[in-house]
Amino acid sequence: MSNEEMFKQLSDAIVSCKKDAVLAAVEKARDEGIPPAEIIEKGLAAGMNEVGVLFERGKLFLPHVMMAAGAMEAGVALLEKDMPKDAASKKLGIIVNGTVEGDVHDIGKSIVSTMLQSAGFEVHDIGRDVPLQDFIDKVKETNADMVGLSALMTTTLQGQKDVIEMLKEQGMRDGVKVMVGGAPATEAWANKIGADCYAENASEAVTKAKELLL
Ligand code: B12
């Protein structure tokens, strides 16, 4: 089976919303030697995007989306075992990452954390629906070089801007880079709110973090 066919199978498994199908497809792709990052981005995440489209068109309902999300999390968890957990030997920088207050979407954010971690960054993932001041407190506590802010809804995007304003008010903006992401975020939005960078997906997040921190 070609890699393209394998990605299609992974994506279809997510759309089927069946955890067993996802786990089987992930194991197969892994056995074929496809790197975990590609299995996640080109297979599983592509399927989740498809789920989003079907949901928007009314072809899938919220319980399906929740099942697909659970299946996706299980698939990613299976792959995390193969990814270097603690790359202490080459600590590239410290990054705090989380989803802003009011927003419970965390699949994409967690993928970003996992990929940054396996690229050699020390990542403090502080979860989802995180009160904005907590991002700042965690940056202080860990002496972080960068903070990642995820928002998946147009209504919670404002939280990214607010954290930047709060960092300024608390005299901390110069000491930490800000990276924003999530489906409704864009390069233009990042520029408008004065973030240091925007990344469209997890691999781009790794590239941009390296550009800014190394
Ligand atoms: C899965 C999902 C859910 C799951 C979330 C499960 C979970 N644990 O995350 C559940 C079912 C719980 C859910 C709930 C809700 N959802 Co929802 N959900 C989605 C869906 C279908 C997919 C999101 C996803 O996981 N995508 C796959 C991942 C891999 O992609 P990603 O998140 O975009 O992440 C990538 C990039 O964006 C980027 N990235 C992400 N974060 C970060 C951070 C940084 C720092 C960087 C650099 C990059 C980065 O890298 C990631 C990896 O490549 C989207 C549809 C869509 N098109 O996005 C709707 C969507 C986001 N949901 C939506 C809504 C409205 C809701 C609900 C209010 C319920 C409802 N009425 O539908 C609640 C929200 C409650 C709340 N307060 O948060 C809307 C938001 C609309 C808006 N206002 O903008 C969407 C767009 C669907 C829609 N069209 O209606 N949802």
Side-chain angles (χ1 to χ4, degrees):
M1 194 183 270
S2 72
N3 282 10
E4 292 315 312
E5 283 166 329
M6 198 69 82
F7 295 140
K8 173 86 169 62
Q9 201 170 76
L10 287 157
S11 168
D12 287 349
I14 293 285
V15 175
S16 79
C17 307
K18 292 193 182 107
K19 193 160 122 185
D20 289 352
V22 170
L23 293 177
V26 166
E27 273 173 11
K28 196 161 152 193
R30 192 182 53 184
D31 292 347
E32 292 284 322
I34 302 178
E38 286 194 23
I39 298 179
I40 293 173
E41 293 229 21
K42 296 188 180 164
L44 303 180
M48 206 61 219
N49 286 334
E50 176 77 24
V51 167
V53 171
L54 293 169
F55 177 64
E56 276 154 37
R57 292 192 189 143
K59 300 253 157 78
L60 283 182
F61 299 103
L62 203 55
H64 298 122
V65 178
M66 291 172 81
M67 279 166 68
M72 168 114 193
E73 279 162 14
V76 173
L78 192 64
L79 290 165
E80 272 175 352
K81 286 188 207 134
D82 296 341
M83 297 170 98
K85 263 258 158 356
D86 181 0
S89 54
K90 47 162 189 159
K91 200 171 100 181
L92 302 182
I94 302 173
I95 303 178
V96 169
N97 194 31
T99 305
V100 299
E101 191 164 9
D103 198 324
V104 303
H105 297 89
D106 67 352
I107 298 173
K109 178 272 299 164
S110 300
I111 294 173
V112 170
S113 289
T114 303
M115 303 264 278
L116 286 170
Q117 197 161 16
S118 54
F121 291 96
E122 178 182 322
V123 180
H124 297 268
D125 188 321
I126 54 173
R128 58 186 181 179
D129 191 11
V130 177
L132 302 184
Q133 183 61 35
D134 287 8
F135 283 95
I136 295 169
D137 293 344
K138 197 70 184 177
V139 166
K140 242 187 243 170
E141 182 197 319
T142 58
N143 201 11
D145 304 297
M146 178 180 264
V147 57
L149 304 167
S150 181
L152 259 288
M153 300 192 289
T154 45
T155 45
T156 53
L157 212 46
Q158 178 69 25
Q160 298 179 334
K161 183 170 187 275
D162 292 345
V163 171
I164 294 176
E165 293 306 320
M166 288 160 74
L167 281 167
K168 282 186 193 154
E169 281 161 19
Q170 297 174 41
M172 289 174 59
R173 182 65 186 95
D174 292 341
V176 65
K177 302 286 184 200
V178 178
M179 175 156 74
V180 297
T186 59
E187 189 86 53
W189 166 252
N191 289 336
K192 188 177 164 201
I193 64 174
D196 295 288
C197 77
Y198 157 77
E200 192 181 350
N201 54 44
S203 18
E204 203 178 296
V206 170
T207 309
K208 298 257 174 106
K210 284 183 176 168
E211 274 170 21
L212 281 170
L213 299 183
L214 300 190

